[in-house]
Amino acid sequence: MAQTTPASPRVPTPGAVLALLKPVTWFPPMWAFACGAISAGQITSDRWIAVGLGVLLAGPLLCGTSQAVNDWFDRHVDAINEPDRVIPSGRMPGRWGLWVAIFNSILSMIVAALLGTTVFVAAAIGLALAWAYSAPPFRLKRNGWWGNTACGFSYETLPWITAAAAALGTVPSGEIFIIAFLYGLGALGIMTLNDFKSMEGDTKMGIASLPVQMGARAAAMFAGLSMIVPQLVVVGLLLVWSHAWSAAAVGALALAQAVALPRLVADPKGKAIWYSALGVGLYVTGMMITAFAIRP
């Protein structure tokens, strides 16, 4: 008796939608959101619902949208390199990947509108960067300078500002904007660390990641310094703002990253994951220390 191949689903399952939105990627913006909420100070009882909606906005909505957009516009490449992904495998049939991205985009802006003008503007910028990163004609991901910078600000700066605005119900202080900007700037180095594992493939596909443009060792040094230098500026600001103990703690974390950096530079491809685990852990710890320091 002849065997029949099961027909592809016409509608994706909830599990397929969740796989498209990649919950594992929600941690960085949600951590930055937590830092932003803490930096705003004591959250009054009438703002907790707004903060909860902000967490939803930073993680499943905006970050999830960015993952859906990226997978949709990379589906042809993924069909070759990663055929088990949710779209090329057929678990997300037809144009459902695109529809999920569009629906999540609309829902993101509705939720952002409920949280006030500042949150709405920040969310609109983040959403625009998410689409520009993956979708033509911009495809920012094809150049490491544009793509990594867009990711850094989307994952760190915008969630921090969004959280503070949601917690306060108004525009955050200048200190919060400055700190959020600096940690978003440092995230350029974090994003660069992710590019070493795909140098060969990026070269073949014409993707100008920073390791491809600079060479492995120069890009490794750049990635480390891109993370460390903004933290040193944060240390200086904390000292100016009379937070000496917090400045010392953040400075010690940055120093530990600097001590580990030569090992990364000596073997960028082999040590990128190691440095990412160590350096990013220290980096985000410094973010939280800074958030507690600057809260009113």
Side-chain angles (χ1 to χ4, degrees), residues 148 184-194 196 222-227:
N148 290 358
L185 187 64
L188 170 61
I190 295 176
M191 299 303 164
T192 301
L193 292 173
N194 295 326
F196 287 100
F222 173 81
L225 292 178
S226 294
M227 295 169 62

Side-chain angles (χ1 to χ4, degrees), residues 9-262:
R10 298 182 63 182
V11 177
T13 65
V17 174
L18 191 63
L20 181 69
L21 301 179
K22 297 186 182 68
V24 70
T25 66
W26 302 348
F27 171 76
M30 292 177 76
W31 181 266
F33 189 95
C35 291
I38 290 169
S39 70
Q42 185 68 35
I43 302 174
T44 58
S45 58
D46 62 318
R47 300 305 304 170
W48 277 109
I49 293 178
V51 171
L53 286 174
V55 173
L56 178 71
L57 179 65
L61 293 180
L62 287 175
C63 186
T65 296
S66 71
Q67 300 303 319
V69 172
N70 185 65
D71 273 22
W72 173 255
F73 287 103
D74 277 0
R75 64 193 186 280
H76 301 303
V77 176
D78 288 342
I80 299 171
N81 297 327
E82 298 180 82
D84 291 333
R85 279 199 171 191
V86 65
I87 292 179
S89 68
R91 288 177 291 147
M92 183 67 58
R95 301 178 69 85
W96 271 98
L98 179 61
W99 305 141
V100 170
I102 293 173
F103 175 80
N104 239 35
S105 298
I106 295 171
L107 186 58
S108 295
M109 297 317 300
I110 292 173
V111 172
L114 298 174
L115 298 175
T117 303
T118 303
V119 175
F120 183 84
V121 171
I125 294 172
L127 189 62
L129 289 175
W131 281 87
Y133 179 78
S134 300
F138 299 105
R139 293 279 285 176
L140 299 180
K141 66 183 296 180
R142 298 190 67 84
N143 184 290
W145 291 107
W146 292 106
N148 290 358
T149 300
C151 282
F153 283 112
S154 296
Y155 275 60
E156 307 294 351
T157 301
L158 294 175
W160 192 309
I161 294 172
T162 299
L168 294 169
T170 186
V171 180
S173 66
E175 287 87 351
I176 287 176
F177 272 94
I178 292 170
I179 292 298
F181 172 81
L182 287 169
Y183 277 112
L185 187 64
L188 170 61
I190 295 176
M191 299 303 164
T192 301
L193 292 173
N194 295 326
D195 292 334
F196 287 100
K197 64 180 182 295
S198 58
M199 281 187 67
E200 290 80 4
D202 288 346
T203 302
K204 293 177 181 177
M205 297 295 296
I207 296 176
S209 68
L210 294 186
V212 170
Q213 292 187 49
M214 296 180 172
R217 290 198 173 188
M221 179 63 74
F222 173 81
L225 292 178
S226 294
M227 295 169 62
I228 293 167
V229 171
Q231 293 175 85
L232 295 180
V233 177
V234 170
V235 170
L237 290 173
L238 291 175
L239 288 172
V240 170
W241 297 334
S242 302
H243 302 300
W245 287 108
S246 297
V250 176
L253 294 170
L255 178 61
Q257 295 166 57
V259 170
L261 182 57

